[in-house]
Structure formats: C-alpha cells, structure tokens
C-alpha cells in the first residue's frame, strides 16, 4: 500500500476502501443508496492530490483542451458542464474484455480508480453520466457524495460482471449532479424494451431545476446493447428511450440532454432516430467538425484478439432549440493514445470521456 502522506491521510480510508463481493451482495436490488450524509465533505483539491500520490509511478495525464463553440449571443448564466463516460467495468476489464495489448498491471483497481477520479476531478463536471459502473457503492457514491453530488445508480438486471469470479456486483448506469447547482424535480429509472420485451439495458432520466436561472431541464444517461448483429435491437431500445423522454419532457417543452454509450456508429438506424426525433436533438460533438455535421472519427479505440477496434459510439445529445453548446473537450490524438491503444497506464478506460459546457437559449421556443 502506497503511503498517502500526513496531509491527506484522513482521506485515505475513503479512497482505499474496497468492499468485498460478499458485502456487495447485501445490496440485492442495488437501488437503495447508502447513507453518506454523516460523512465529512471532501476538498476536491485534496482528493486530487491524493490520487496523484497513488499514481506517481504512472505517466502524467494527457493534455486535452476545450474548443470554444460560443456563438455571438452571450449567456447571462454560468454554463452547465456535462461529462459523459463509459469508465469500463472493473470485472469486464480484468475478466472478459481481453485487451491483449494492455498490461494487467495497468488495470489494477487501486490505481485505475484513481485515474478515473483524476479525470473527473480535472474537468469538474456539474453533471456526470457514467456507464459500466461496478464500484458504485464502495467508491463512486461515497466519494462523490462527499464532493457535493447527489448520486443515482441503476444496474443492469443481468450484468455480465456477475459471471466474473470475485466480481464487485452488477454494472450499470450512474448519474451525479451538484446539489448546490440543481434541485431534483423528478427521477425515473427506465428498463429499456425492444420488440415489447424487457431487455438488459437501462437508463436514468432526471428532471432538474437550475438554481441560478430557475429553468427546468432533463438529463438522461443510457448504455445500449453492444455487438455487431444487434442493430435492430439497439434501434428498438432507442425508440423506447425516446418515447419515455417524450413523455418526461412533455414533448420537448423541457430541454433535454442525453448522454450515453450507444454502441452504434453514426451510420446506424438508432443514430438516425435520435437525429430525426421530434425532440429536435443534435449531437454536441458534431460541432467540433469543420462543417458541424460530422461526428468525431472515434470515441473508443482498443485491441482485442479479433483485431483493432476504432469506433464512434459515445454521444451527448441536446435540445438544439433550447440549449447552446459553449465548448466541448477535444479528443485524444492517435499519438497520445499510442500504438497499444486503450486502456493503458495513461488512460483508465477503452472509451474517451466527452465533456460539454451548455447554456440556456434565451428564446427557447424560437426554433421549435
């Protein structure tokens, strides 16, 4: 165990703690949240320093810059920073995904969780949407609640993590928002259906009130079915999610942001469904392209026994009539990612994090 130093030793127990699988099994439905209210708040700078001590033998974080996308109209409120990230479930990274070029030492949870936290703490999102979370109860909920976030987790009913020996419980979607910026108005855990059948994929949709502006908006997180050959299935799941969000947002009267790993390239039907939805959605990361019409060349890049996989699967959709994208975080370059691709000693997941700053349009009905 790495020494944490005296200045941060009081945080060490929170960061180092890992529940045994037997302890996790006590959370049978994985929906009830542990009570962290009695725990002291954590200074994010101190936690970041603690993570960096644990990671001192690893290469430093990659430098990524925000691209300014602001139009002429200036916003009269502080932007809302939203972060989308498939963080790679620990059980899958070690037990199923078979990243043949990634050393097993790079996947050690005691260090990898610090890499994940370092990424989150570096960008300071107001809202954080995560997929493949299988260390919610022992890591993310206890720490992020002490950083001021309200936390929600919805696991997959039949998580593949449970097939891995010494797993830490099921993986699922998690949504976090800063309680000093937003008030929770409504929350829905959605088990997605396809062809009228309940599936193993889920979503969380929460209606929030922005304390500064009084404006309502809905934030949703999801993770659609993976693998080639399941395109129609993903399309059906996407339709089901859109129908749910149509109801929740009262037909787009409430602005909407949807974050997710869709496991779908822009050429897939589910992508077209979101692009052409009556909810008037646009994909934020298209705005980084010269013409504003093209998705990034990749959001995930890995090497498995079957070969190299370089795909665009992750998106942040938003109501383009009601919200503006002020800036978006640039992606890692091929040179930064390196020849062995992701994950690595430098980066904890096979998916890149996406981060956008949003502001409310002053005339939201103008483009409806």
């Amino acid at each position: 165990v790495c020494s944490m130093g005296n200045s941060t030793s009081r945080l060490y127990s929170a960061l180092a703690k890992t529940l045994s699988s037997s302890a996790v099994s006590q959370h049978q439905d994985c929906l009830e949240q542990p009570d962290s209210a009695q725990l002291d708040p954590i200074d994010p700078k101190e936690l970041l320093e603690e993570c960096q001590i644990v990671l001192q033998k690893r290469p430093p974080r990659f430098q990524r810059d925000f691209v300014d996308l602001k139009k002429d109209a200036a916003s009269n409120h502080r932007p809302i920073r939203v972060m989308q990230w498939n963080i790679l479930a620990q059980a899958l990274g070690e037990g199923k995904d078979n990243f043949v070029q990634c050393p097993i030492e790079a996947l050690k949870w005691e260090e990898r969780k610090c890499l994940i936290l370092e990424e989150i703490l570096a960008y300071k999102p107001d809202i954080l949407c995560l997929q493949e979370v299988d260390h919610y109860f022992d890591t993310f909920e206890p720490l992020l609640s002490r950083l001021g976030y309200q936390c929600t987790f919805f696991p997959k009913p039949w998580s593949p993590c449970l097939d891995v020996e010494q797993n830490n419980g099921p993986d699922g979607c998690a949504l976090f928002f800063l309680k000093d910026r937003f008030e929770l108005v409504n929350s829905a855990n959605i088990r997605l259906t396809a062809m009228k059948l309940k599936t193993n994929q889920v979503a969380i949709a929460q209606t929030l009130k922005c304390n500064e502006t009084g404006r309502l908006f809905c934030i949703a997180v999801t993770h659609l079915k993976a693998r080639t050959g399941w395109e129609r299935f993903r399309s059906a799941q996407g339709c089901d999610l859109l129908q749910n969000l149509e109801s929740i947002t009262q037909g787009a009267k409430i602005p909407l942001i949807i974050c997710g790993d869709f496991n779908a390239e822009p050429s897939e039907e589910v992508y077209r469904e979101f692009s052409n939805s009556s909810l008037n959605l646009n994909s934020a990361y298209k705005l980084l392209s010269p013409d504003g019409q093209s998705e990034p060349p990749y959001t995930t890049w890995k090497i498995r026994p079957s070969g190299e996989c370089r795909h665009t699967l992750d998106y942040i959709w938003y109501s383009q009539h009601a919200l503006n994208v002020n800036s978006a975080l640039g992606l890692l370059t091929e040179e930064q990612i390196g020849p062995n691709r992701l994950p690595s000693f430098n980066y904890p997941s096979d998916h890149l994090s996406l981060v956008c700053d949003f502001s409310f349009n002053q005339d939201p009905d103008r483009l409806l």
Side-chain angles (χ1 to χ4, degrees), residues 112-346:
R112 197 172 79 85
K113 71 179 176 185
C114 291
L115 272 181
I116 295 170
L117 289 166
E118 185 183 42
E119 181 93 345
I120 294 167
L121 291 163
Y123 298 122
K124 304 173 186 170
D126 300 303
I127 300 172
L128 174 63
C129 295
L130 302 180
Q131 300 87 39
E132 290 200 23
V133 178
D134 63 345
H135 275 273
Y136 176 82
F137 291 108
D138 66 314
T139 300
F140 294 104
E141 194 278 340
L143 288 174
L144 290 174
S145 64
R146 295 173 69 185
L147 290 168
Y149 289 91
Q150 183 155 329
C151 314
T152 305
F153 176 61
F154 192 28
K156 295 173 185 170
W158 312 298
S159 167
C161 294
L162 299 177
D163 297 332
V164 178
E165 262 190 76
Q166 298 181 325
N167 65 76
N168 201 63
D171 76 301
C173 292
L175 199 161
F176 309 85
F177 66 84
L178 287 177
K179 291 185 287 186
D180 66 350
R181 289 216 64 186
F182 311 107
E183 176 188 337
L184 180 63
V185 175
N186 181 60
S187 185
N189 288 346
I190 303 165
R191 185 173 171 186
L192 298 176
T193 63
M195 298 89 169
K196 299 185 179 178
L197 298 174
K198 290 183 177 179
T199 73
N200 194 35
Q201 280 65 47
V202 300
I204 303 168
Q206 296 189 333
T207 303
L208 305 181
K209 178 178 161 185
C210 175
N211 292 335
E212 184 180 345
T213 64
R215 298 277 294 270
L216 294 179
F217 67 100
C218 177
I219 178 77
V221 55
T222 195
H223 188 186
L224 301 188
K225 172 68 181 169
R227 304 199 190 289
T228 303
W230 292 85
E231 291 82 6
R232 287 186 63 199
F233 197 82
R234 280 191 286 275
S235 174
Q237 288 183 327
C239 284
D240 182 49
L241 179 57
L242 286 169
Q243 286 178 1
N244 276 278
L245 294 174
E246 175 98 21
S247 173
I248 290 169
T249 63
Q250 302 167 29
K253 287 182 181 176
I254 298 173
L256 175 63
I257 300 170
I258 310 164
C259 295
D261 174 358
F262 279 61
N263 276 307
E265 291 274 11
S267 57
E268 270 198 37
E269 186 180 346
V270 67
Y271 181 92
R272 293 193 293 274
E273 285 163 357
F274 273 72
S275 294
N276 300 325
S277 163
S278 62
L279 295 173
N280 197 21
L281 301 171
N282 193 23
S283 174
Y285 264 71
K286 281 168 51 176
L287 302 179
L288 289 181
S289 66
D291 62 359
Q293 299 299 314
S294 306
E295 292 289 353
Y298 51 84
T299 62
T300 179
W301 202 340
K302 65 202 93 176
I303 301 175
R304 285 177 167 151
S306 57
E308 194 160 344
C309 308
R310 177 179 177 265
H311 299 293
T312 300
L313 306 178
D314 307 271
Y315 306 97
I316 299 178
W317 297 92
Y318 69 102
S319 301
Q320 56 188 334
H321 61 284
L323 296 166
N324 299 313
V325 184
N326 295 1
S327 61
L329 182 65
L331 300 177
L332 292 177
T333 64
E334 180 176 359
E335 182 182 16
Q336 286 175 312
I337 290 172
N340 294 331
R341 309 315 183 198
L342 304 173
S344 65
F345 281 110
N346 301 70

